[in-house]
Amino acid sequence: MTTFLSSRRAWGATALAVLLGVVVLGATAVKFAPPGSSVAVWWPAAGLAVAFLLVSGPDRRRAAVFVAGVLVASGLANYYGGRPPLVAAAFGVANALEAFVVHRLMTRGGRRPRLASMDDLFRLLAAALAGALTFGVLAGLVVTVGLHSTFFPTAYAVTASHAAAVLVIGPLGIAVVTPRVRAFGLEDVAQMVLVVGVTLWVFRQGQGLPLAFLPLPTLAWAATRQGLRAVAAQLITVGVLAVYGTSTGGGPFAFAGTRADVRPETVGALTQAFLVTAAITTLSLAVASTQRRRAIAELRTEGQFTAVVLDTAATAIVVVDTEGRIGRLNRTAASWIGRHEDELVGLEAAQTFPIAEGRDALVRRFAGLRDHDFPETDEQEWVTPEGRRRNIVWSNRWLTDELGRRSHLVKTGVDVTESRAALERERRVVEELTALDQTKNDFVSSVSHELRTPLASVLGYTEMLEDGAAGELTSRQGELVARIDRNGRRLLELIEDLLVNSRIESGQLDLDLRRCDLADVVAHAWDGLRPLSERRDLDLSIDVDRKPVWVRGDPAALERVTMNLLSNAVKFTPDGGSVEVSLEVGNGHAAPARTASDGVDGSAAPDGRCARLVVRDSGIGIPSADLEKVFRRFYRSKTATDQAIQGTGLGLSIVRAIVEGHGGTIEVVSAPGAGATFTVTLPALPVGAAS
């Protein structure tokens, strides 16, 4: 229905048909008003209008258009029913306001009207009462002013009339979009015949016995067995038959009006009270039955889900009652025990669990289960029917009843046999790898030491040759000796890098931290750069104030850091480029330097001052993907590899280790073709710190 009404044309055509129905029903209700009454016994037009608004949903624009139509249609209905024009127009306004109030309350918050819970039913009752009171007050004023009647009898009569109409017919607007509970069958035919027959008999001509309650059990039958659609249709049927019978003098209410001289408005109010009672009773039962069916369906689904989860779980799940008997278990637990699940339910857990030893302790643990604490986790060794031993770790949790008393113990077991074996294998592998790594470090350290001694001798004899100890060298001989010296020193630097890296890996990077002038360290490193750059076409610049920059550090290690960064800058910058180094003191967030072994305080200045060493070049740059990797040991970027630039990939890893050993940080900013900028930040000592 809602899909059909989603079309603007379909909605408009349906709205016109409903408004025509409002005119017809309204005029008919006025015609059937009891003699001497200024109001109708029932106003089904109000219920029809509300039903259409409810099925239309929370669309405020469409609701406003339809409410305006209700104003016109209701006014015409009252006019055709014989009301004076002004009175008819006033009733039209009252009916429109009633429909507006009910729709606004039912769709508050943009929700679609429904009857799925008792809260929804209470909302419908409140909306129907609010709308009926709105119409009742306005109708009482209209008849008092326009028809010279009394206010209160009219007000309470029409309030009951409209409340009954909305409660009896309004749910139809919700029911048409509610799914059918079950297929229509013989039971439904019998129930409908019974409810129609009983209602016709109760409200027939000449029937004066107070039996107005008889249709209620038949409506309750529909409410408990059928869906909201059938209930809404039968409520409308009972309402039409009861009002028609009462209007034509049949039934107990009309009988009271003729025999007990009861006012016509009172007869109408009694009829509406019957309809309201029938609607509230039937809708309450229908909603409760709907909730019950939904709860049963959810329980069935949850039960099926639980069964599937239990049976397919790789863990063992056993539920034990307070007497220590198995209440339920899953397929995994049964397979570990070696029997079918159905055979195990009801047996004592202590006698059933195939534990390897200590059954007496297990029996004592399960005895008096309700009154004793059970460990949150415990471990047992089980022996499977195949003779295989399993190490089972159990998690134990209690279920409690509504009074908070323990009812069942849920044991969830995990077989850790394989995982423990795997952990043991991994532990042995780690130990072997650790030993292998230590052997490698020892080998590298030993070889490096062994190589350094003869290499130092080679470099020493090279210097003697250059100094003419073996006679004057020719230019060709001098060139060859210089090449030997240059490559020997490269090899010596590599050996030194390997030794430092070995000490770093073994945690033996001993730094001689003391008060030192970082500016002097940078100046010495800059002087050492000259042999590397003298044959290069580079623009070299240094911005280091000769004013001391005091830090707590190892001068030799810091010079190694500076020299490494400068040599990298020269190495990765093509001819015609530039290399800059600067040193400044400012505010920063470097960590305090590590305390020296001699116990001298190594904390940064109280004002958080830091020394920043910046080495900037205009070289080939570093790809963004490599920025996080350049400080790894033996890592070389793809750019350096492609351009065959010499290096081992140890320099920057050593730089970072030394900087962090001083409580500092190092950062790099670079992009391909845009050069690189390395920034070392170290905590500066307070001015006047002791040496």
Side-chain angles (χ1 to χ4, degrees):
M1 184 67 174
T2 53
T3 303
F4 172 73
L5 291 180
S6 61
S7 169
R8 180 180 300 179
R9 181 175 299 178
W11 183 88
T14 307
L16 287 176
V18 171
L19 291 175
L20 180 60
V22 169
V23 174
V24 174
L25 291 177
T28 303
V30 174
K31 289 292 185 181
F32 277 93
S37 174
S38 58
V39 295
V41 175
W42 199 34
W43 192 260
L48 179 62
V50 168
F52 182 75
L53 283 173
L54 294 182
V55 78
S56 297
D59 191 325
R60 297 291 177 84
R61 181 175 299 177
R62 287 186 174 184
V65 173
F66 184 76
V67 166
V70 170
L71 187 153
V72 176
S74 182
L76 291 175
N78 280 274
Y79 179 74
Y80 289 140
R83 307 290 192 194
L86 290 178
V87 173
F91 274 119
V93 173
N95 277 283
L97 286 175
E98 176 190 21
F100 172 79
V101 169
V102 175
H103 178 263
R104 180 56 64 90
L105 292 178
M106 289 296 293
T107 59
R108 185 172 53 185
R111 65 189 303 274
R112 177 167 288 279
R114 61 180 184 176
L115 278 175
S117 66
M118 297 307 294
D119 289 340
D120 296 332
L121 178 60
F122 292 150
R123 186 176 288 106
L124 175 62
L125 296 177
L129 179 60
L133 286 173
T134 299
F135 183 85
V137 172
L138 294 177
L141 294 174
V142 170
V143 298
T144 301
V145 176
L147 300 179
H148 306 291
S149 182
T150 53
F151 176 83
F152 287 105
T154 299
Y156 79 74
V158 298
T159 298
S161 169
H162 282 248
V166 172
L167 289 176
V168 170
I169 303 177
L172 183 65
I174 303 175
V176 293
V177 296
T178 303
R180 188 185 297 276
V181 173
R182 56 185 173 85
F184 194 77
L186 184 61
E187 176 189 348
D188 305 313
V189 175
Q191 187 272 332
M192 291 182 64
V193 171
L194 182 62
V195 72
V196 172
V198 169
T199 305
L200 286 174
W201 184 80
V202 170
F203 290 96
R204 78 183 191 280
Q205 289 285 340
Q207 202 294 110
L209 297 175
L211 300 175
F213 62 88
L214 282 182
L216 297 181
T218 60
L219 289 172
W221 182 3
T224 55
R225 296 286 296 165
Q226 303 176 39
L228 186 60
R229 289 186 180 184
V231 170
Q234 293 185 26
L235 272 177
I236 295 174
T237 302
V238 170
V240 171
L241 294 178
V243 170
Y244 177 78
T246 301
S247 299
T248 57
F253 306 128
F255 182 82
T258 56
R259 297 298 178 88
D261 194 23
V262 177
R263 290 174 54 85
E265 288 82 358
T266 304
V267 172
L270 291 173
T271 306
Q272 309 316 318
F274 162 75
L275 295 179
V276 169
T277 302
I280 294 176
T281 303
T282 307
L283 292 175
S284 298
L285 287 174
V287 170
S289 298
T290 300
Q291 288 182 305
R292 175 178 172 273
R293 282 190 291 269
R294 186 184 301 112
I296 292 175
E298 291 176 353
L299 286 175
R300 183 180 298 110
T301 302
E302 184 176 347
Q304 294 174 350
F305 174 77
T306 302
V308 171
V309 171
L310 286 176
D311 289 338
T312 57
T315 57
I317 301 175
V318 183
V319 181
V320 183
D321 63 21
T322 53
E323 301 300 324
R325 298 183 181 275
I326 298 175
R328 186 172 182 178
L329 75 166
N330 68 342
R331 190 173 301 167
T332 301
S335 67
W336 290 357
I337 297 174
R339 299 171 65 180
H340 194 271
E341 301 100 288
D342 296 337
E343 300 176 5
L344 296 170
V345 174
L347 300 182
E348 292 185 7
Q351 300 295 336
T352 306
F353 287 0
I355 59 176
E357 58 184 356
R359 186 176 296 278
D360 292 340
L362 188 62
V363 171
R364 290 193 300 271
R365 178 174 293 180
F366 276 105
L369 197 58
R370 184 197 298 271
D371 302 322
H372 295 84
D373 291 332
F374 211 83
E376 291 188 1
T377 58
D378 64 329
E379 184 174 348
Q380 298 170 356
E381 187 179 24
W382 281 21
V383 181
T384 66
E386 299 82 13
R388 180 186 176 190
R389 290 180 177 267
R390 292 178 180 268
N391 295 103
I392 312 297
V393 175
W394 294 96
S395 296
N396 306 302
R397 297 293 184 273
W398 281 101
L399 298 179
T400 57
D401 58 19
E402 63 276 5
L403 298 178
R405 297 175 301 187
R406 294 174 175 178
S407 60
H408 292 85
L409 177 67
V410 180
K411 297 178 65 63
T412 305
V414 179
D415 185 356
V416 298
T417 307
E418 296 296 334
S419 60
R420 285 189 175 177
L423 286 175
E424 179 62 23
R425 289 194 296 270
E426 291 180 3
R427 185 186 64 79
R428 289 197 297 268
V429 170
V430 170
E431 290 178 352
E432 293 174 0
L433 290 176
T434 302
L436 182 62
D437 188 62
Q438 183 61 41
T439 301
K440 181 263 297 181
N441 289 338
D442 293 343
F443 173 77
V444 170
S445 179
S446 176
V447 169
S448 299
H449 279 291
E450 292 299 325
L451 288 175
R452 186 165 56 175
T453 300
L455 185 58
S457 177
V458 170
L459 293 176
Y461 281 113
T462 303
E463 290 182 359
M464 292 175 63
L465 289 175
E466 289 179 335
D467 292 339
E472 191 71 26
L473 299 178
T474 65
S475 60
R476 178 59 177 166
Q477 290 173 336
E479 181 180 345
L480 293 176
V481 170
R483 184 172 298 177
I484 293 172
D485 181 75
R486 185 165 57 253
N487 286 285
R489 295 190 183 280
R490 280 186 56 203
L491 183 57
L492 184 61
E493 289 177 2
L494 174 59
I495 292 172
E496 288 296 329
D497 285 345
L498 289 173
L499 287 172
V500 173
N501 181 72
S502 179
R503 290 196 295 271
I504 292 173
E505 287 185 345
S506 61
Q508 298 177 356
L509 180 63
D510 295 326
L511 298 173
D512 182 17
L513 299 179
R514 61 181 184 272
R515 184 172 182 265
C516 66
D517 180 8
L518 185 59
D520 186 59
V521 170
V522 173
H524 277 89
W526 183 259
D527 292 339
L529 183 66
R530 298 187 185 280
L532 298 176
S533 59
E534 60 185 4
R535 298 183 180 182
R536 299 290 308 280
D537 180 18
L538 296 175
D539 181 13
L540 305 178
S541 64
I542 181 171
D543 181 14
V544 177
D545 195 343
R546 296 312 302 167
K547 184 178 180 181
V549 177
W550 298 109
V551 297
R552 183 72 63 189
D554 184 332
L558 292 177
E559 184 172 349
R560 186 184 190 89
V561 167
T562 309
M563 191 64 194
N564 202 317
L565 294 177
L566 289 173
S567 63
N568 277 351
V570 170
K571 183 166 46 176
F572 289 99
T573 302
D575 288 342
S578 62
V579 174
E580 305 173 13
V581 61
S582 63
L583 178 65
E584 62 179 9
V585 177
N587 294 326
H589 303 283
R594 195 169 57 182
T595 303
S597 57
D598 59 1
V600 180
D601 182 19
S603 60
D607 57 1
R609 292 184 308 125
C610 290
R612 288 189 181 87
L613 170 65
V614 180
V615 177
R616 182 181 297 106
D617 64 68
S618 62
I620 61 176
I622 305 171
S624 57
D626 294 339
L627 288 177
E628 295 295 327
K629 306 174 185 177
V630 293
F631 294 105
R632 297 180 184 175
R633 287 178 300 153
F634 302 108
Y635 182 81
R636 285 171 54 78
S637 68
K638 186 176 183 301
T639 304
T641 304
D642 292 343
Q643 298 190 21
I645 299 176
Q646 294 179 349
T648 62
L650 283 175
L652 288 178
S653 66
I654 294 173
V655 166
R656 183 172 67 175
I658 294 175
V659 169
E660 291 178 351
H662 285 77
T665 60
I666 182 170
E667 299 175 349
V668 58
V669 177
S670 182
T677 300
F678 287 84
T679 303
V680 175
T681 304
L682 298 173
L685 284 178
V687 177
S691 60

